[in-house]
Amino acid sequence: MKIYIGKNYDDMSEKAFETMKAVVTQKPNAVLGLATGSSPEGLYKYMVKDYQENGTNYENISSYNLDEYVGIDRNHPESYYSFMHTRLFDHINIKEENTHLPSGSTKEEADAYEAALEKVSIDVQVLGIGQNGHIGFNEPGTSFDAPTHIVDLTESTLNANKRFFDNDINLVPKQAMSMGLKSIMRSKKIILIASGKEKAEAVKNMIEGPVTEACPASILQNHADVEVFLDPEAASLLSK
Ligand code: F6R
């Protein structure tokens, strides 16, 4: 793992953007794996700024998102479909038909998303990390062999995400469809972004802890090309 500790969130986001920009300029038809949430927002802002200022071309780029809530209309403001459109897709020239998000609530729908993923090869996968070490919505205890599947979100994740739902845990969808750890590990390159002290323990476990299903992100120690972008708070428990 290559670890970059930025001066702050913005600095870390800019560095992550440099890696992303290298991928999309070297391969104009690259396949991006994308995440939602607070961690990649800065990266997406830099991508939009770069598109506006330099015209980086996304016409032949395609994307596959990590996850989506179950039981939420895609036009709900907190759906991951809405997130991706408002933060990124509506501001660059990626084609709507080239963007893909999981959707549905059944095993058949999850299998269909996995089958679509198996036909492509993700060039760069963007990840955040949950306070409990989840990546995508692969919660602790998820098998390292899991493909795209329907997940019951843990109390920790529901609590972390209630900030998007009027701070009311009862409004947070209880399930999501998520790429599995097996799906994520197939990506050629991984960018993982984490900021804030509440991520410090998960970051330490991911980088320095044993590779264990108790910390899903620890599987990334087995991937050949992972770049981790941290702010000083998220890096604060690392031993070196
Ligand atoms: C989002 C996702 C999640 C988040 C994680 C961190 O698509 O898959 O794993 O990356 O919950 O969320 P933030 O970045 O909001 O702290």
Side-chain angles (χ1 to χ4, degrees):
M1 284 185 182
K2 281 192 209 145
I3 297 161
Y4 176 83
I5 303 172
K7 288 196 281 288
N8 50 39
Y9 178 81
D10 185 64
D11 182 46
M12 162 196 92
S13 301
E14 188 171 16
K15 281 288 176 305
F17 160 71
E18 284 167 15
T19 294
M20 174 61 83
K21 170 126 180 178
V23 172
V24 298
T25 48
Q26 277 158 27
K27 190 169 178 194
N29 62 347
V31 182
L32 312 183
L34 298 176
T36 55
S38 308
S39 308
E41 274 199 279
L43 161 66
Y44 298 155
K45 275 193 188 133
Y46 273 102
M47 289 169 75
V48 169
K49 181 169 178 278
D50 168 66
Y51 172 74
Q52 289 165 346
E53 290 174 0
N54 305 311
T56 298
N57 191 10
Y58 291 85
E59 202 180 353
N60 298 310
I61 298 280
S62 53
S63 70
Y64 288 81
N65 261 78
L66 275 173
D67 40 25
E68 178 60 283
Y69 291 120
V70 165
I72 196 172
D73 188 86
R74 75 178 199 177
N75 295 316
H76 186 290
E78 295 305 337
S79 76
Y80 289 169
Y81 176 91
S82 295
F83 179 101
M84 290 312 303
H85 280 78
T86 56
R87 303 324 196 275
L88 185 65
F89 297 158
D90 291 352
H91 310 290
I92 60 175
N93 68 335
I94 196 165
K95 292 182 180 150
E96 169 76 15
E97 64 268 28
N98 288 348
T99 66
H100 309 84
L101 280 101
S103 102
S105 59
T106 65
K107 181 174 184 320
E108 289 67 32
E109 288 163 312
D111 288 349
Y113 196 70
E114 185 68 19
L117 287 173
E118 278 171 9
K119 284 206 200 105
V120 295
S121 173
I122 291 184
D123 291 292
V124 59
Q125 174 68 56
V126 178
L127 297 175
I129 181 171
Q131 292 172 27
N132 61 7
H134 73 215
I135 49 176
F137 275 135
N138 294 284
E139 301 283 27
T142 306
S143 162
F144 283 164
D145 288 329
T148 302
H149 61 297
I150 304 292
V151 181
D152 292 327
L153 300 178
T154 61
E155 196 77 10
S156 154
T157 301
L158 296 173
N159 266 311
N161 287 9
K162 70 180 181 197
R163 67 193 196 277
F164 301 115
F165 294 88
D166 296 337
N167 259 331
D168 182 351
I169 196 168
N170 298 311
L171 298 179
V172 187
K174 305 286 177 289
Q175 288 188 312
M177 187 189 290
S178 176
M179 276 190 206
L181 295 166
K182 187 172 84 178
S183 335
I184 291 169
M185 287 295 278
R186 278 197 304 265
S187 321
K188 290 187 198 141
K189 180 180 199 62
I190 291 178
I191 292 175
L192 185 139
I193 304 171
S195 69
K197 65 176 183 335
E198 52 292 330
K199 298 292 176 70
E201 195 175 338
V203 165
K204 182 180 172 59
N205 290 338
M206 165 178 74
I207 296 173
E208 296 180 356
V211 177
T212 161
E213 288 172 359
C215 176
S218 66
I219 195 178
L220 299 178
Q221 291 179 33
N222 293 340
H223 191 287
D225 188 0
V226 180
E227 294 184 26
V228 179
F229 298 89
L230 305 173
D231 72 355
E233 290 76 27
S236 59
L237 294 179
L238 293 177
S239 56
K240 39 190 183 300

